[in-house]
Amino acid sequence: MRHLIDPLDFTLEETERLLILADKIAQDPAAYQEVARHKKLATLFYEPSTRTRLSFEAAMLNLGGSVLGFSSADASSAAKGESVADTIRVISCYADIAAMRHPKEGAPLRAAHYSRIPVINAGDGGHQHPTQTLTDLLTIRRRKGRLGGLTIGLCGDLKFGRTVHSLIMSLARCKGIRFVLISPEELRVPDYIITETLRPNGIPYEEIRSLERAMPSLDILYMTRVQRERFFNEEDYIRLKDSYILTAEKMKLAKPDMAVLHPLPRVNEIALNVDSDPRAAYFEQAQNGVYVRMALIMTLLGLEK
């Protein structure tokens, strides 16, 4: 039995195989509609979510399975003080696989230690979000035809953005990757990403403040929102929330085939007039999330098609 807690739990080769399966599903979803018949997915969401929770549910339903679970801690026995360990022990009696989102870093890992079913980390605090990373990788692969040999710009909240951390760690295994890290000083990427991932692997990176200066060199621009829920101080959030806004005017600086990704939800960091640009890939990215999660569920449950 395997879990997906960290994006590096799968080797690069295993990740490639999963992305190939996701691509096959995308080309013919109907062919997979009975693969997980009689299987149950438990969605254990201790923190609000729209896209991640619904895409997991859509993925399991698309495979012919069923879904149970809760969408907030208040709707679970956590409100009565039940531990994550006890919750997953109980859920293991009811479901075949579980997806967990939790505000505390490491909670899904702890659940995996006590679980009798595969556990998928659907986001733990500001730490990791491996299924979003798989979604990002599939979108990049489908847009660019490869994962290596690309210049990736990551813009906005690089400190608390768990999607950013997971994506850097995964792409760092691909050849010819270069990162441009665009953020205010207060929201720069954590030091451990640089000291444990970028420098040891000899991956070129640049930390800059100007989005406009970065645009011409990028193959991928990954925008993020400044997350109010990660701040302890409302004044800091208000001061930084509009640090970077991508507009149609700024898009004129980019390559004709650059792709813009965003894990969503957006607030105002991407202007509405960018949506009609063919380089805007973020709603396509949301659709890819369903295909990736279908492939992941099949992989962890050992279901073949």
Side-chain angles (χ1 to χ4, degrees), residues 22 25-26 49-59 62 129 131-140 142-143 222 260-266 280-294:
I25 293 170
S49 169
T50 301
R51 271 146 301 276
T52 303
R53 181 172 62 86
L54 293 182
S55 66
F56 265 113
E57 294 180 358
N62 288 351
H129 197 348
T131 61
Q132 180 63 53
T133 298
L134 291 171
T135 298
D136 301 339
L137 295 177
L138 179 62
T139 306
I140 293 170
R142 298 191 81 192
R143 279 279 177 147
Y222 196 94
V260 180
L261 277 64
H262 190 305
L264 302 177
R266 69 170 163 188
Y282 30 92
F283 294 117
E284 169 190 330
Q285 187 180 354
Q287 178 65 67
N288 286 337
V290 177
Y291 303 139
V292 154
R293 291 177 175 99
M294 290 171 71

Side-chain angles (χ1 to χ4, degrees), residues 18-132:
L18 189 145
L19 296 179
I20 290 169
L21 175 57
D23 202 35
K24 289 180 180 177
I25 293 170
Q27 293 173 39
D28 187 10
Y32 296 84
Q33 61 187 6
E34 296 292 331
V35 170
R37 192 177 180 189
H38 303 310
K39 298 293 184 180
K40 300 182 185 70
L41 166 72
T43 53
L44 314 179
F45 277 64
Y46 293 79
E47 190 176 53
S49 169
T50 301
R51 271 146 301 276
T52 303
R53 181 172 62 86
L54 293 182
S55 66
F56 265 113
E57 294 180 358
M60 192 57 166
L61 294 173
N62 288 351
L63 291 170
S66 55
V67 180
L68 63 158
F70 52 84
S71 58
S72 74
D74 293 341
S76 76
S77 290
K80 303 175 184 177
E82 184 176 55
S83 68
V84 163
D86 282 359
T87 296
I88 199 64
R89 284 185 176 113
V90 172
I91 296 299
S92 294
C93 301
Y94 305 151
D96 300 287
I97 188 168
M100 175 181 284
R101 168 167 288 186
H102 203 286
K104 292 185 179 179
E105 297 180 6
L109 176 61
R110 180 167 178 78
H113 287 318
Y114 293 92
S115 180
R116 291 186 288 109
I117 60 176
V119 174
I120 302 169
N121 178 4
D124 58 335
H127 190 222
Q128 301 285 0
H129 197 348
T131 61
Q132 180 63 53

Side-chain angles (χ1 to χ4, degrees), residues 165-236:
H165 306 163
S166 294
L167 185 59
I168 291 174
M169 292 169 65
S170 288
L171 283 173
R173 301 182 294 180
C174 302
K175 293 181 179 179
I177 286 291
R178 173 176 172 265
F179 291 106
V180 181
L181 309 173
I182 311 154
S183 72
E185 176 63 29
E186 295 92 335
L187 296 176
R188 64 184 291 271
V189 73
D191 288 338
Y192 81 88
I193 294 289
I194 292 172
T195 59
E196 296 177 17
T197 299
L198 298 180
R199 287 179 183 164
N201 292 293
I203 297 168
Y205 71 94
E206 181 182 9
E207 292 186 89
I208 66 174
R209 305 290 169 256
S210 171
L211 175 57
E212 290 85 344
R213 186 160 73 85
M215 290 290 280
S217 68
L218 303 181
D219 298 303
I220 300 291
L221 173 60
Y222 196 94
M223 295 293 297
T224 67
R225 70 185 172 95
V226 176
Q227 305 172 83
R228 182 192 294 266
E229 63 268 30
R230 305 298 175 205
F231 280 81
F232 297 107
N233 187 318
E234 181 73 8
E235 291 179 359
D236 287 343

